[in-house]
Amino acid sequence: EIVLTQSPGTLSLSPGERATLSCRASHNIPNTYLAWYQQKVGQPPRLLMYDASTKTTATPDRISGSGSGTDFTLTITRLEPEDFAVYYCQYYGVSPWTFGQGTKVEIK
Amino acid sequence: QKQLVQSGAEVKKPGASVKVSCKAYGYTFTTYSMHWVRQAPGQGLEWMGRINPNSGGTDYAQKFQGRITMTRDTSISTAYMELTGLTSDDTAMYYCAPATMTFDHWGQGTLVTVSS
């Protein structure tokens, strides 16, 4: 099983600032099968990124993903009010699918 | 456009079982495996397993082996997740999500509360 560890647990930033979220895997992730989700209170998660760096059609340009192997990053270049939420990374493709514990991006 | 409609909230006593349904609209039900994910209050996401709607084959997370059963009824495009031996630790929102790989659509969630 691939264990995903996200850091930091909480990121306190102001609108307009840059956010850098990390996701580290316990083993190499083949094919960069790493996704990122955003979740707001009372809603199911929303897929932002897959294959580590491929955006969905709804993902804003200010959000990007990178990484390979065991180290992955989600970057939000200039935080907008709607970006304050919890972000999860996910390994997929070979069972078991796993999630990181999440990073909360909160308003400072 | 995929749409998933889950059954309503449940309150169960410790030791009981719960069966949550997930009805699919807007796509061919047998095209995608149906995954189940749960989220305890204030906690993260936990993958529970998946069912292949074509074959009925299942793949469960080891943590739930022995007390989880996923089934489907293709005639009504509905997947089910049953969890037995409930404890307070099973209090959570349960989501279904059809997927080959990533979860681009989710059900609205079913809150299961386990309380004596």
Side-chain angles (χ1 to χ4, degrees):
Chain A
E1 174 175 328
I2 291 181
V3 176
L4 299 176
T5 302
Q6 292 186 239
S7 61
T10 303
L11 209 45
S12 298
L13 296 167
S14 301
E17 289 194 296
R18 181 186 188 93
T20 303
L21 287 66
S22 173
C23 177
R24 178 160 290 178
S26 60
H27 303 89
N28 180 70
I29 291 184
N31 306 116
T32 58
Y33 281 165
L34 192 285
W36 289 93
Y37 296 82
Q38 177 193 68
Q39 187 179 32
K40 297 182 180 179
V41 173
Q43 299 180 16
R46 178 171 77 103
L47 179 66
L48 292 176
M49 202 79 59
Y50 60 95
D51 294 350
S53 60
T54 303
K55 300 181 189 187
T56 69
T57 54
T59 305
D61 288 344
R62 62 183 180 277
I63 298 179
S64 63
S66 63
S68 63
T70 60
D71 289 302
F72 299 86
T73 301
L74 185 74
T75 302
I76 308 172
T77 52
R78 291 174 308 280
L79 283 165
E80 297 286 340
E82 60 267 29
D83 298 330
F84 291 92
V86 181
Y87 293 81
Y88 295 95
C89 57
Q90 178 203 39
Y91 164 71
Y92 57 90
V94 177
S95 182
W97 274 235
T98 56
F99 291 93
Q101 81 279 20
T103 291
K104 181 180 182 180
V105 179
E106 65 176 21
I107 299 177
K108 186 175 181 179
Chain B
Q1 178 77 342
K2 297 174 193 164
Q3 186 180 0
L4 296 310
V5 178
Q6 297 184 222
S7 48
E10 304 261 14
V11 179
K12 296 292 183 181
K13 293 197 182 302
S17 301
V18 68
K19 190 170 186 177
V20 179
S21 68
C22 170
K23 186 170 176 62
Y25 297 89
Y27 72 98
T28 302
F29 180 67
T30 51
T31 301
Y32 304 97
S33 288
M34 189 68 77
H35 294 249
W36 291 86
V37 174
R38 77 176 185 179
Q39 185 171 37
Q43 302 302 308
L45 303 167
E46 183 173 32
W47 184 79
M48 302 180 73
R50 59 177 172 163
I51 181 169
N52 180 326
N54 256 321
S55 65
T58 55
D59 177 19
Y60 302 138
Q62 188 163 8
K63 174 177 180 177
F64 301 102
Q65 294 274 2
R67 67 183 193 106
I68 191 171
T69 304
M70 294 179 186
T71 56
R72 90 291 187 219
D73 184 339
T74 57
S75 68
I76 55 172
S77 299
T78 300
Y80 303 91
M81 187 284 300
E82 182 174 24
L83 195 61
T84 62
L86 294 171
T87 71
S88 58
D89 289 343
D90 295 313
T91 293
M93 187 72 80
Y94 289 77
Y95 295 102
C96 61
T100 303
M101 292 291 205
T102 52
F103 305 159
D104 57 355
H105 289 81
W106 298 67
Q108 84 276 17
T110 296
L111 180 62
V112 176
T113 302
V114 182
S115 174
S116 54

mmCIF file of all heavy atoms in Angstrom, chain A residues 33 35 37 39 43-45 47 50 88 90 92-93 95-97 99, chain B residues 35 37 39 43-45 47 50 59 95 100-104 106-107:
data_model
loop_
_atom_site.group_PDB
_atom_site.id
_atom_site.type_symbol
_atom_site.label_atom_id
_atom_site.label_comp_id
_atom_site.label_asym_id
_atom_site.label_seq_id
_atom_site.Cartn_x
_atom_site.Cartn_y
_atom_site.Cartn_z
ATOM 1 N N TYR A 33 0.536 8.503 -11.207
ATOM 2 C CA TYR A 33 -0.886 8.337 -10.900
ATOM 3 C C TYR A 33 -1.194 9.015 -9.559
ATOM 4 O O TYR A 33 -1.531 8.366 -8.563
ATOM 5 C CB TYR A 33 -1.282 6.873 -10.873
ATOM 6 C CG TYR A 33 -1.494 6.248 -12.234
ATOM 7 C CD1 TYR A 33 -1.557 4.859 -12.364
ATOM 8 C CD2 TYR A 33 -1.636 7.014 -13.383
ATOM 9 C CE1 TYR A 33 -1.756 4.260 -13.604
ATOM 10 C CE2 TYR A 33 -1.832 6.429 -14.625
ATOM 11 C CZ TYR A 33 -1.899 5.057 -14.727
ATOM 12 O OH TYR A 33 -2.089 4.463 -15.947
ATOM 13 N N ALA A 35 -3.363 12.358 -7.939
ATOM 14 C CA ALA A 35 -4.395 13.366 -8.176
ATOM 15 C C ALA A 35 -4.502 14.298 -6.977
ATOM 16 O O ALA A 35 -4.069 13.958 -5.871
ATOM 17 C CB ALA A 35 -5.749 12.700 -8.416
ATOM 18 N N TYR A 37 -7.412 16.902 -4.976
ATOM 19 C CA TYR A 37 -8.805 17.276 -4.805
ATOM 20 C C TYR A 37 -8.895 18.471 -3.869
ATOM 21 O O TYR A 37 -8.092 18.619 -2.952
ATOM 22 C CB TYR A 37 -9.623 16.126 -4.199
ATOM 23 C CG TYR A 37 -9.716 14.904 -5.066
ATOM 24 C CD1 TYR A 37 -8.682 13.964 -5.097
ATOM 25 C CD2 TYR A 37 -10.830 14.664 -5.865
ATOM 26 C CE1 TYR A 37 -8.750 12.840 -5.901
ATOM 27 C CE2 TYR A 37 -10.917 13.530 -6.670
ATOM 28 C CZ TYR A 37 -9.872 12.636 -6.684
ATOM 29 O OH TYR A 37 -9.943 11.529 -7.487
ATOM 30 N N GLN A 39 -11.670 20.276 -1.246
ATOM 31 C CA GLN A 39 -12.951 20.050 -0.572
ATOM 32 C C GLN A 39 -13.312 21.245 0.291
ATOM 33 O O GLN A 39 -12.502 21.702 1.100
ATOM 34 C CB GLN A 39 -12.923 18.781 0.284
ATOM 35 C CG GLN A 39 -14.288 18.424 0.851
ATOM 36 C CD GLN A 39 -14.292 17.167 1.671
ATOM 37 O OE1 GLN A 39 -13.314 16.830 2.329
ATOM 38 N NE2 GLN A 39 -15.413 16.445 1.655
ATOM 39 N N GLN A 43 -19.385 19.835 1.282
ATOM 40 C CA GLN A 43 -19.411 19.398 -0.105
ATOM 41 C C GLN A 43 -18.536 18.172 -0.305
ATOM 42 O O GLN A 43 -17.553 17.976 0.426
ATOM 43 C CB GLN A 43 -18.896 20.514 -1.022
ATOM 44 C CG GLN A 43 -19.716 21.786 -0.985
ATOM 45 C CD GLN A 43 -19.145 22.852 -1.911
ATOM 46 O OE1 GLN A 43 -18.339 22.576 -2.794
ATOM 47 N NE2 GLN A 43 -19.581 24.087 -1.698
ATOM 48 N N PRO A 44 -18.843 17.372 -1.327
ATOM 49 C CA PRO A 44 -17.897 16.303 -1.675
ATOM 50 C C PRO A 44 -16.640 16.917 -2.291
ATOM 51 O O PRO A 44 -16.657 18.074 -2.716
ATOM 52 C CB PRO A 44 -18.666 15.457 -2.699
ATOM 53 C CG PRO A 44 -19.752 16.326 -3.192
ATOM 54 C CD PRO A 44 -20.047 17.348 -2.144
ATOM 55 N N PRO A 45 -15.556 16.164 -2.327
ATOM 56 C CA PRO A 45 -14.333 16.684 -2.950
ATOM 57 C C PRO A 45 -14.535 16.968 -4.435
ATOM 58 O O PRO A 45 -15.412 16.406 -5.072
ATOM 59 C CB PRO A 45 -13.332 15.535 -2.752
ATOM 60 C CG PRO A 45 -13.882 14.748 -1.602
ATOM 61 C CD PRO A 45 -15.369 14.851 -1.740
ATOM 62 N N LEU A 47 -12.304 17.161 -8.033
ATOM 63 C CA LEU A 47 -11.038 16.836 -8.692
ATOM 64 C C LEU A 47 -10.442 18.077 -9.340
ATOM 65 O O LEU A 47 -11.100 18.756 -10.128
ATOM 66 C CB LEU A 47 -11.270 15.755 -9.752
ATOM 67 C CG LEU A 47 -10.049 15.304 -10.561
ATOM 68 C CD1 LEU A 47 -9.037 14.589 -9.660
ATOM 69 C CD2 LEU A 47 -10.487 14.373 -11.704
ATOM 70 N N TYR A 50 -4.943 15.553 -12.190
ATOM 71 C CA TYR A 50 -4.652 14.129 -12.253
ATOM 72 C C TYR A 50 -3.357 13.929 -13.033
ATOM 73 O O TYR A 50 -2.859 14.860 -13.668
ATOM 74 C CB TYR A 50 -5.812 13.345 -12.875
ATOM 75 C CG TYR A 50 -6.165 13.765 -14.290
ATOM 76 C CD1 TYR A 50 -5.641 13.107 -15.391
ATOM 77 C CD2 TYR A 50 -7.050 14.824 -14.514
ATOM 78 C CE1 TYR A 50 -5.965 13.487 -16.681
ATOM 79 C CE2 TYR A 50 -7.371 15.212 -15.800
ATOM 80 C CZ TYR A 50 -6.833 14.546 -16.876
ATOM 81 O OH TYR A 50 -7.160 14.938 -18.154
ATOM 82 N N TYR A 88 -6.562 17.441 -0.804
ATOM 83 C CA TYR A 88 -6.110 16.061 -0.608
ATOM 84 C C TYR A 88 -5.377 15.580 -1.856
ATOM 85 O O TYR A 88 -5.824 15.835 -2.978
ATOM 86 C CB TYR A 88 -7.293 15.119 -0.375
ATOM 87 C CG TYR A 88 -8.058 15.378 0.896
ATOM 88 C CD1 TYR A 88 -9.194 16.180 0.896
ATOM 89 C CD2 TYR A 88 -7.646 14.817 2.103
ATOM 90 C CE1 TYR A 88 -9.907 16.421 2.063
ATOM 91 C CE2 TYR A 88 -8.351 15.049 3.270
ATOM 92 C CZ TYR A 88 -9.475 15.856 3.247
ATOM 93 O OH TYR A 88 -10.174 16.081 4.402
ATOM 94 N N GLN A 90 -4.140 12.015 -3.820
ATOM 95 C CA GLN A 90 -4.669 10.655 -3.935
ATOM 96 C C GLN A 90 -3.791 9.841 -4.867
ATOM 97 O O GLN A 90 -3.422 10.312 -5.958
ATOM 98 C CB GLN A 90 -6.095 10.687 -4.493
ATOM 99 C CG GLN A 90 -6.725 9.315 -4.699
ATOM 100 C CD GLN A 90 -7.850 9.347 -5.732
ATOM 101 O OE1 GLN A 90 -7.780 10.034 -6.749
ATOM 102 N NE2 GLN A 90 -8.910 8.598 -5.473
ATOM 103 N N TYR A 92 -3.870 6.520 -7.257
ATOM 104 C CA TYR A 92 -4.902 5.702 -7.910
ATOM 105 C C TYR A 92 -4.241 4.775 -8.922
ATOM 106 O O TYR A 92 -3.074 4.890 -9.266
ATOM 107 C CB TYR A 92 -5.924 6.604 -8.608
ATOM 108 C CG TYR A 92 -5.334 7.561 -9.634
ATOM 109 C CD1 TYR A 92 -5.192 7.207 -10.968
ATOM 110 C CD2 TYR A 92 -4.919 8.835 -9.240
ATOM 111 C CE1 TYR A 92 -4.644 8.087 -11.888
ATOM 112 C CE2 TYR A 92 -4.377 9.719 -10.168
ATOM 113 C CZ TYR A 92 -4.249 9.349 -11.477
ATOM 114 O OH TYR A 92 -3.702 10.215 -12.395
ATOM 115 N N GLY A 93 -5.036 3.845 -9.388
ATOM 116 C CA GLY A 93 -4.607 2.990 -10.490
ATOM 117 C C GLY A 93 -4.465 1.531 -10.115
ATOM 118 O O GLY A 93 -4.874 0.649 -10.855
ATOM 119 N N SER A 95 -5.035 -1.060 -6.749
ATOM 120 C CA SER A 95 -5.615 -1.137 -5.424
ATOM 121 C C SER A 95 -4.550 -1.412 -4.352
ATOM 122 O O SER A 95 -3.632 -2.192 -4.595
ATOM 123 C CB SER A 95 -6.655 -2.268 -5.416
ATOM 124 O OG SER A 95 -7.281 -2.359 -4.175
ATOM 125 N N PRO A 96 -4.698 -0.771 -3.190
ATOM 126 C CA PRO A 96 -5.764 0.157 -2.790
ATOM 127 C C PRO A 96 -5.485 1.604 -3.186
ATOM 128 O O PRO A 96 -4.349 2.061 -3.103
ATOM 129 C CB PRO A 96 -5.772 0.012 -1.269
ATOM 130 C CG PRO A 96 -4.332 -0.261 -0.921
ATOM 131 C CD PRO A 96 -3.792 -1.086 -2.051
ATOM 132 N N TRP A 97 -6.550 2.280 -3.630
ATOM 133 C CA TRP A 97 -6.456 3.725 -3.785
ATOM 134 C C TRP A 97 -6.202 4.290 -2.378
ATOM 135 O O TRP A 97 -6.739 3.770 -1.392
ATOM 136 C CB TRP A 97 -7.779 4.275 -4.282
ATOM 137 C CG TRP A 97 -8.039 4.279 -5.758
ATOM 138 C CD1 TRP A 97 -8.375 5.373 -6.509
ATOM 139 C CD2 TRP A 97 -8.067 3.182 -6.678
ATOM 140 N NE1 TRP A 97 -8.587 5.027 -7.818
ATOM 141 C CE2 TRP A 97 -8.404 3.693 -7.965
ATOM 142 C CE3 TRP A 97 -7.819 1.801 -6.562
ATOM 143 C CZ2 TRP A 97 -8.500 2.887 -9.108
ATOM 144 C CZ3 TRP A 97 -7.920 0.994 -7.686
ATOM 145 C CH2 TRP A 97 -8.250 1.534 -8.938
ATOM 146 N N PHE A 99 -5.493 8.100 0.067
ATOM 147 C CA PHE A 99 -5.514 9.560 0.163
ATOM 148 C C PHE A 99 -4.500 10.016 1.207
ATOM 149 O O PHE A 99 -4.241 9.313 2.197
ATOM 150 C CB PHE A 99 -6.892 10.052 0.620
ATOM 151 C CG PHE A 99 -7.993 9.873 -0.398
ATOM 152 C CD1 PHE A 99 -8.793 8.740 -0.387
ATOM 153 C CD2 PHE A 99 -8.240 10.855 -1.358
ATOM 154 C CE1 PHE A 99 -9.819 8.579 -1.305
ATOM 155 C CE2 PHE A 99 -9.254 10.713 -2.281
ATOM 156 C CZ PHE A 99 -10.041 9.562 -2.250
ATOM 157 N N HIS B 35 -16.740 3.235 -6.825
ATOM 158 C CA HIS B 35 -15.914 3.287 -5.636
ATOM 159 C C HIS B 35 -16.727 3.872 -4.481
ATOM 160 O O HIS B 35 -17.653 4.664 -4.689
ATOM 161 C CB HIS B 35 -14.694 4.176 -5.876
ATOM 162 C CG HIS B 35 -13.731 3.659 -6.896
ATOM 163 N ND1 HIS B 35 -12.463 3.202 -6.570
ATOM 164 C CD2 HIS B 35 -13.837 3.507 -8.241
ATOM 165 C CE1 HIS B 35 -11.850 2.820 -7.669
ATOM 166 N NE2 HIS B 35 -12.651 2.999 -8.697
ATOM 167 N N VAL B 37 -16.067 5.856 -0.716
ATOM 168 C CA VAL B 37 -15.123 6.604 0.102
ATOM 169 C C VAL B 37 -15.884 7.128 1.311
ATOM 170 O O VAL B 37 -17.030 7.570 1.171
ATOM 171 C CB VAL B 37 -14.525 7.785 -0.698
ATOM 172 C CG1 VAL B 37 -13.636 8.669 0.194
ATOM 173 C CG2 VAL B 37 -13.745 7.282 -1.902
ATOM 174 N N GLN B 39 -15.771 9.574 5.083
ATOM 175 C CA GLN B 39 -15.104 10.686 5.756
ATOM 176 C C GLN B 39 -15.745 10.883 7.122
ATOM 177 O O GLN B 39 -16.889 11.317 7.214
ATOM 178 C CB GLN B 39 -15.212 11.952 4.914
ATOM 179 C CG GLN B 39 -14.442 13.132 5.460
ATOM 180 C CD GLN B 39 -14.407 14.278 4.471
ATOM 181 O OE1 GLN B 39 -15.375 14.558 3.755
ATOM 182 N NE2 GLN B 39 -13.275 14.970 4.395
ATOM 183 N N GLN B 43 -12.473 14.712 9.651
ATOM 184 C CA GLN B 43 -11.322 13.888 9.278
ATOM 185 C C GLN B 43 -11.136 13.843 7.763
ATOM 186 O O GLN B 43 -11.867 14.498 7.013
ATOM 187 C CB GLN B 43 -11.502 12.474 9.827
ATOM 188 C CG GLN B 43 -11.672 12.412 11.333
ATOM 189 C CD GLN B 43 -10.505 13.019 12.083
ATOM 190 O OE1 GLN B 43 -9.349 12.668 11.834
ATOM 191 N NE2 GLN B 43 -10.788 13.960 12.972
ATOM 192 N N GLY B 44 -10.156 13.049 7.340
ATOM 193 C CA GLY B 44 -9.839 12.955 5.916
ATOM 194 C C GLY B 44 -10.651 11.903 5.194
ATOM 195 O O GLY B 44 -11.586 11.316 5.730
ATOM 196 N N LEU B 45 -10.261 11.675 3.947
ATOM 197 C CA LEU B 45 -10.960 10.753 3.070
ATOM 198 C C LEU B 45 -10.353 9.361 3.183
ATOM 199 O O LEU B 45 -9.132 9.199 3.249
ATOM 200 C CB LEU B 45 -10.853 11.244 1.620
ATOM 201 C CG LEU B 45 -11.394 12.652 1.380
ATOM 202 C CD1 LEU B 45 -10.963 13.155 0.006
ATOM 203 C CD2 LEU B 45 -12.921 12.655 1.487
ATOM 204 N N TRP B 47 -10.614 5.503 1.365
ATOM 205 C CA TRP B 47 -11.125 4.617 0.319
ATOM 206 C C TRP B 47 -11.536 3.295 0.915
ATOM 207 O O TRP B 47 -10.769 2.672 1.660
ATOM 208 C CB TRP B 47 -10.041 4.414 -0.732
ATOM 209 C CG TRP B 47 -10.445 3.598 -1.917
ATOM 210 C CD1 TRP B 47 -11.181 4.009 -2.992
ATOM 211 C CD2 TRP B 47 -10.119 2.225 -2.171
ATOM 212 N NE1 TRP B 47 -11.333 2.986 -3.897
ATOM 213 C CE2 TRP B 47 -10.683 1.877 -3.424
ATOM 214 C CE3 TRP B 47 -9.395 1.246 -1.473
ATOM 215 C CZ2 TRP B 47 -10.565 0.602 -3.985
ATOM 216 C CZ3 TRP B 47 -9.260 -0.012 -2.024
ATOM 217 C CH2 TRP B 47 -9.849 -0.319 -3.270
ATOM 218 N N ARG B 50 -14.253 -0.970 -4.182
ATOM 219 C CA ARG B 50 -14.928 -0.729 -5.450
ATOM 220 C C ARG B 50 -15.607 -1.995 -5.930
ATOM 221 O O ARG B 50 -15.250 -3.096 -5.527
ATOM 222 C CB ARG B 50 -13.919 -0.261 -6.511
ATOM 223 C CG ARG B 50 -12.802 -1.254 -6.753
ATOM 224 C CD ARG B 50 -11.853 -0.816 -7.848
ATOM 225 N NE ARG B 50 -10.695 -1.706 -7.912
ATOM 226 C CZ ARG B 50 -9.861 -1.791 -8.944
ATOM 227 N NH1 ARG B 50 -10.045 -1.025 -10.005
ATOM 228 N NH2 ARG B 50 -8.835 -2.613 -8.908
ATOM 229 N N ASP B 59 -13.421 -5.374 -4.726
ATOM 230 C CA ASP B 59 -12.051 -5.144 -4.276
ATOM 231 C C ASP B 59 -12.174 -4.233 -3.060
ATOM 232 O O ASP B 59 -12.501 -3.062 -3.211
ATOM 233 C CB ASP B 59 -11.275 -4.471 -5.414
ATOM 234 C CG ASP B 59 -9.861 -4.110 -5.029
ATOM 235 O OD1 ASP B 59 -9.328 -4.656 -4.043
ATOM 236 O OD2 ASP B 59 -9.257 -3.267 -5.731
ATOM 237 N N TYR B 95 -19.538 8.310 0.593
ATOM 238 C CA TYR B 95 -19.700 8.783 -0.775
ATOM 239 C C TYR B 95 -19.499 7.641 -1.770
ATOM 240 O O TYR B 95 -18.638 6.775 -1.564
ATOM 241 C CB TYR B 95 -18.649 9.839 -1.121
ATOM 242 C CG TYR B 95 -18.712 11.129 -0.361
ATOM 243 C CD1 TYR B 95 -17.841 11.390 0.687
ATOM 244 C CD2 TYR B 95 -19.608 12.130 -0.733
ATOM 245 C CE1 TYR B 95 -17.867 12.603 1.360
ATOM 246 C CE2 TYR B 95 -19.641 13.345 -0.061
ATOM 247 C CZ TYR B 95 -18.780 13.567 0.982
ATOM 248 O OH TYR B 95 -18.811 14.774 1.649
ATOM 249 N N THR B 100 -12.795 5.096 -13.479
ATOM 250 C CA THR B 100 -11.784 4.176 -13.951
ATOM 251 C C THR B 100 -10.519 4.405 -13.127
ATOM 252 O O THR B 100 -9.892 3.466 -12.657
ATOM 253 C CB THR B 100 -11.474 4.425 -15.437
ATOM 254 O OG1 THR B 100 -12.676 4.296 -16.183
ATOM 255 C CG2 THR B 100 -10.444 3.445 -15.925
ATOM 256 N N MET B 101 -10.203 5.670 -12.941
ATOM 257 C CA MET B 101 -9.011 6.049 -12.194
ATOM 258 C C MET B 101 -9.349 7.096 -11.129
ATOM 259 O O MET B 101 -9.395 6.788 -9.953
ATOM 260 C CB MET B 101 -7.951 6.592 -13.152
ATOM 261 C CG MET B 101 -7.372 5.561 -14.094
ATOM 262 S SD MET B 101 -6.358 4.381 -13.194
ATOM 263 C CE MET B 101 -5.268 3.861 -14.523
ATOM 264 N N THR B 102 -9.579 8.326 -11.558
ATOM 265 C CA THR B 102 -9.836 9.417 -10.610
ATOM 266 C C THR B 102 -11.332 9.689 -10.491
ATOM 267 O O THR B 102 -12.125 9.283 -11.330
ATOM 268 C CB THR B 102 -9.111 10.691 -11.056
ATOM 269 O OG1 THR B 102 -9.444 10.959 -12.426
ATOM 270 C CG2 THR B 102 -7.612 10.529 -10.937
ATOM 271 N N PHE B 103 -11.691 10.390 -9.437
ATOM 272 C CA PHE B 103 -13.094 10.577 -9.080
ATOM 273 C C PHE B 103 -13.560 11.969 -9.510
ATOM 274 O O PHE B 103 -13.481 12.929 -8.749
ATOM 275 C CB PHE B 103 -13.270 10.390 -7.571
ATOM 276 C CG PHE B 103 -12.760 9.071 -7.042
ATOM 277 C CD1 PHE B 103 -12.452 8.924 -5.707
ATOM 278 C CD2 PHE B 103 -12.579 7.981 -7.875
ATOM 279 C CE1 PHE B 103 -11.984 7.716 -5.200
ATOM 280 C CE2 PHE B 103 -12.112 6.770 -7.392
ATOM 281 C CZ PHE B 103 -11.802 6.631 -6.040
ATOM 282 N N ASP B 104 -14.052 12.066 -10.731
ATOM 283 C CA ASP B 104 -14.482 13.372 -11.216
ATOM 284 C C ASP B 104 -15.949 13.655 -10.917
ATOM 285 O O ASP B 104 -16.407 14.779 -11.125
ATOM 286 C CB ASP B 104 -14.186 13.538 -12.712
ATOM 287 C CG ASP B 104 -14.828 12.463 -13.566
ATOM 288 O OD1 ASP B 104 -15.424 11.529 -13.008
ATOM 289 O OD2 ASP B 104 -14.718 12.556 -14.805
ATOM 290 N N TRP B 106 -19.006 12.698 -7.814
ATOM 291 C CA TRP B 106 -19.282 12.114 -6.517
ATOM 292 C C TRP B 106 -20.782 12.188 -6.226
ATOM 293 O O TRP B 106 -21.465 13.110 -6.681
ATOM 294 C CB TRP B 106 -18.560 12.887 -5.413
ATOM 295 C CG TRP B 106 -17.069 12.897 -5.489
ATOM 296 C CD1 TRP B 106 -16.295 13.496 -6.458
ATOM 297 C CD2 TRP B 106 -16.156 12.321 -4.553
ATOM 298 N NE1 TRP B 106 -14.956 13.318 -6.176
ATOM 299 C CE2 TRP B 106 -14.844 12.599 -5.010
ATOM 300 C CE3 TRP B 106 -16.302 11.593 -3.374
ATOM 301 C CZ2 TRP B 106 -13.700 12.172 -4.332
ATOM 302 C CZ3 TRP B 106 -15.166 11.179 -2.688
ATOM 303 C CH2 TRP B 106 -13.879 11.470 -3.174
ATOM 304 N N GLY B 107 -21.264 11.230 -5.455
ATOM 305 C CA GLY B 107 -22.602 11.364 -4.913
ATOM 306 C C GLY B 107 -22.627 12.480 -3.879
ATOM 307 O O GLY B 107 -21.579 13.014 -3.499
#
